[in-house]
Amino acid sequence: VVVSAMRGVNAEVTNPMVLEQIIAGMGEPLYGKEPPTGYPNTGDAWVSSSGLVSRMQFAQRLAGGRLPGVQVDWTSLTADGPAGLAAQLLHEPLSPATQGVVDTIPAQRTQEWAALVMGGPQFQKR
C-alpha cells in the first residue's frame, strides 16, 4: 500500500528511510521474509485491526504532509475534487459508500478526503 500510494500521488521521495520504517511498522520489514516468494499478496495475511489502523494512519500522514522527505503536489491532485483523485488513485469512481462519507467533508478540507480515499477499502484492495 505504501508503494502504491507513492506511485499514485506521484510523490517525490528524498528520504526513503521514513517509508521503510512505516512498512516495517506494518509488519512487513524490507528483506524480512526469508522465502524467495516474499510476503503474501492476500488480505488474510495482513487484515487485522492494527494493520488497518496502520494503513489509515499512513494515509493521514501522507495526505497531511507529515512524512519527512516525501513531497506531493496535492493542489494538482485534488483540483478536480474527490472524483479526480479517485480516478488518479483507483482508476475507477468512488464506491457509493466512500462517496457518501467524502460528501460529508467540506471541499476545502482536501487532506481529509484524500486520506479517506487512500485509507479506504477500494485503495486497499488494489
Side-chain angles (χ1 to χ4, degrees):
V1 76
V2 172
V3 173
S4 292
M6 295 295 105
R7 288 179 179 163
V9 299
N10 297 317
E12 180 182 331
V13 179
T14 57
N15 182 6
M17 294 307 295
V18 171
L19 301 177
E20 185 276 328
Q21 291 169 351
I22 289 170
I23 293 168
M26 290 181 180
E28 296 186 354
L30 296 179
Y31 311 111
K33 188 73 169 176
E34 291 189 26
T37 55
Y39 292 103
N41 197 23
T42 57
D44 61 325
W46 59 265
V47 173
S48 66
S49 298
S50 64
L52 293 172
V53 168
S54 294
R55 287 165 172 250
M56 189 61 187
Q57 287 173 335
F58 160 71
Q60 290 172 326
R61 287 180 67 193
L62 175 59
R66 296 187 314 269
L67 292 176
V70 177
Q71 299 296 317
V72 176
D73 180 6
W74 289 107
T75 305
S76 65
L77 282 171
T78 58
D80 294 329
L85 183 63
Q88 173 80 17
L89 291 174
L90 306 173
H91 306 287
E92 65 185 24
L94 289 171
S95 70
T98 303
Q99 185 68 56
V101 173
V102 170
D103 287 344
T104 67
I105 300 171
Q108 69 272 21
R109 292 170 47 188
T110 58
Q111 292 175 338
E112 289 180 45
W113 49 258
L116 280 170
V117 170
M118 288 185 293
Q122 277 182 282
F123 189 74
Q124 301 295 317
K125 73 173 185 164
R126 275 193 73 235

